[in-house]
Amino acid sequence: MVQLLLGVMFVFLGNMMPKFKSNFFIGIKNPWTLSNSDVWNKTHRLAGILFFWFGIVTILTSFWVPETILFWGFMIFLFIVCIIPNVMSYIWYRNIVKNAGQEKE
């Protein structure tokens, strides 16, 4: 039951994340997303998609996957779903900074 409710929570968060405005209280807050609104928007759009599908998969698997596998699978995929937007936000930020440096020359 807990796994099912966690899946519902991630589906909800996935739907809400792209609508978050840049702030210091909620969302993916790292130096790259907070310093550039385009990076913030791209990161939260990607995180929203990942969280939504992670929630759907969690809901579906909560009915038929054994509890031990479900727990460890949930933890591993949660880690992956949280890391991907952070890595991508850094990559997008570095590209923006690099392109801005090239335009000045």
Side-chain angles (χ1 to χ4, degrees):
M1 188 64 163
V2 171
Q3 202 78 21
L4 179 70
L5 293 175
L6 284 171
V8 170
M9 180 189 74
F10 276 101
V11 167
F12 176 75
L13 280 174
N15 282 322
M16 295 303 295
M17 284 196 96
K19 298 173 184 132
F20 292 161
K21 302 295 182 210
S22 183
N23 64 73
F24 290 97
F25 301 107
I26 191 166
I28 298 172
K29 301 173 295 295
N30 55 40
W32 315 293
T33 58
L34 292 173
S35 65
N36 189 297
S37 63
D38 290 336
V39 175
W40 176 276
N41 292 331
K42 285 181 181 181
T43 301
H44 284 79
R45 191 173 310 124
L46 174 63
I49 292 166
L50 291 173
F51 278 33
F52 176 82
W53 286 109
F54 177 65
I56 294 294
V57 169
T58 301
I59 290 168
L60 294 176
T61 58
S62 67
F63 295 113
W64 53 273
V65 175
E67 191 174 310
T68 306
I69 296 171
L70 190 64
F71 173 77
W72 288 109
F74 179 84
M75 297 306 276
I76 290 167
F77 284 108
L78 177 62
F79 178 75
I80 292 168
V81 164
C82 290
I83 290 297
I84 290 173
N86 283 289
V87 170
M88 289 306 297
S89 69
Y90 178 73
I91 292 169
W92 289 324
Y93 179 76
R94 292 299 299 169
N95 286 338
I96 289 172
V97 168
K98 185 172 35 169
N99 291 340
Q102 290 176 352
E103 290 175 5
K104 289 182 181 180
E105 294 176 359

